[in-house]
Amino acid sequence: MSKVLVVTTYGGPEGQRLIDREAPSPGPGEIAIEVRAAGVNPADWKRRQGAFGTSAALPVAMGLEASGVVTSVGEGVEGFAAGDEVLGSPARGLGAFAEHTVLAAGRSLAKPAEISFAAAATLPVAGTTAWDLTHQVDAEAGRTLLVLGAGGGVGRMVLQIAAARGLSVIGVASASKRGAIEAAGAAFVVSGDGAADRVRDHVPQGVDVLVDLVGGSALRALAPLVADPSGIVSAADASTAVELGGAGRRRSAGALGAITGLVRRGLVDPHVVAAYPLRDAGAAIAAVEAGHSGGKIVILP
Ligand SMILES: NC(=O)c1ccc[n+]([C@@H]2O[C@H](COP(=O)([O-])OP(=O)(O)OC[C@H]3O[C@@H](n4cnc5c(N)ncnc54)[C@H](OP(=O)(O)O)[C@@H]3O)[C@@H](O)[C@H]2O)c1
């Protein structure tokens, strides 16, 4: 038997449970892995709360990004073999907070030896999001990019990708994140009331791109800083971004390979700030749910 964290009832964390199941077998186009690490994302608790709907039959396995070692491959899979180290997204909702799972081969990659299992497990969701946000808008070298929620899991990767592209970067976050943001080569602006005025102190002419990882009123307050609203892009609140003239995150096919390449070359560090064993997965999710993480949190089965 093999352990997996599931949602048994939609709502609060009391609906999460670690259960035993048969280690899942790969179907066509899938690869079975022994999980070595899984990244925790706000989507995990939002899904548990029913924010993405409550029609999926329960229990639903939790966890959307993983790294591990291939144990077997399904029909038609090329390029992966038992023993390979990989990273990717679970197939068929089989979850990543598990001892074993199955990945979609088309959304998986060989894990470069230079990248730890923990860091690799943060790339399929958080890493690709950071890549897409910084590439779906016109973000050429020399332009100015403002990041709201810059000190979190996606935000810290956005800062580094933007710096690697030669952009001038400003990160908005709470005071405890100043050191992390400045270390990424960005200017720091403290979040909260008056943040837009503090950004203007740095860039009186405004910014070219606003990458939003918070949404709501915090996004609305900063939006006037962007002269052309098509430069607003949000992973947190697509409907507000669209209302303001921007867009939600658009997924691109090459994002996983691209962000993995940047991490392998040492240009981006996903900043894994905490790791929890699978038996403490609830605490890992609670740490993300608290809303002020300073990087990526992972679960190590
Ligand atoms: N659409 C997609 O495909 C996709 C993919 C990944 C993530 N997302 C979404 O993107 C968002 C960020 O994800 P993440 O993984 O980076 O989350 P995270 O690691 O929890 O970071 C979120 C950051 O937001 C900041 N924050 C929270 N409330 C704030 C407020 N009122 N004003 C300013 N900053 C605030 C927090 O920093 P402080 O402590 O500094 O306040 C925290 O570091 C989430 O909403 C997530 O669901 C979407």
Side-chain angles (χ1 to χ4, degrees):
M1 297 301 272
S2 175
K3 295 205 179 304
V4 59
L5 189 79
V6 298
V7 176
T8 56
T9 52
Y10 288 108
E14 65 282 356
Q16 297 165 185
R17 192 161 305 151
L18 200 57
I19 65 166
D20 287 308
R21 69 178 176 188
E22 293 290 340
S25 300
E30 297 174 352
I31 53 182
I33 65 164
E34 187 178 281
V35 178
R36 292 294 171 81
V40 184
N41 291 285
D44 296 312
W45 60 262
K46 291 180 184 179
R47 198 156 161 247
R48 185 204 67 223
Q49 286 189 342
F52 305 138
T54 54
S55 57
L58 298 172
V60 168
M62 298 187 77
L64 300 168
E65 55 183 354
S67 63
V69 178
V70 176
T71 54
S72 62
V73 304
E75 196 184 310
V77 170
E78 291 178 3
F80 295 103
D84 287 353
E85 297 180 351
V86 295
L87 58 102
S89 300
R92 293 181 278 133
L94 286 168
F97 304 156
E99 291 174 327
H100 299 86
T101 194
V102 162
L103 303 181
R107 291 185 287 136
S108 301
L109 287 180
K111 182 186 80 63
E114 300 90 335
I115 306 180
S116 69
F117 280 107
T122 72
L123 302 180
V125 174
T128 59
T129 303
W131 173 270
D132 286 339
L133 292 170
T134 47
H135 286 78
Q136 71 183 68
V137 285
D138 187 13
E140 300 307 318
R143 306 197 95 202
T144 304
L145 181 143
L146 178 65
V147 188
L148 174 59
V154 175
R156 294 190 73 176
M157 286 196 259
V158 167
L159 294 178
Q160 297 169 79
I161 296 167
R165 297 188 76 191
L167 288 138
S168 173
V169 188
I170 302 164
V172 176
S174 57
S176 65
K177 310 283 184 359
R178 174 188 284 273
I181 284 163
E182 291 180 345
F188 171 78
V189 169
V190 74
S191 53
D193 286 351
D197 291 338
R198 292 189 286 278
V199 173
R200 279 222 190 269
D201 288 343
H202 281 269
V203 280
Q205 74 283 14
V207 301
D208 300 304
V209 178
L210 168 55
V211 171
D212 167 56
L213 300 161
V214 176
S217 56
L219 167 58
R220 287 180 191 283
L222 295 189
L225 292 162
V226 193
D228 176 353
S230 68
I232 299 171
V233 59
S234 177
D237 187 351
S239 60
T240 299
V242 167
E243 187 193 312
L244 293 167
R249 177 241 180 147
R250 280 192 291 272
R251 291 169 197 276
S252 69
L256 185 58
I259 186 66
T260 300
L262 288 180
V263 176
R264 184 183 60 74
R265 289 159 55 207
L267 293 171
V268 172
D269 177 348
H271 291 292
V272 175
V273 291
Y276 294 73
L278 184 58
R279 66 176 179 281
D280 293 334
I285 295 164
V288 173
E289 194 164 354
H292 297 283
S293 93
K296 284 297 297 182
I297 289 173
V298 301
I299 291 169
L300 307 178

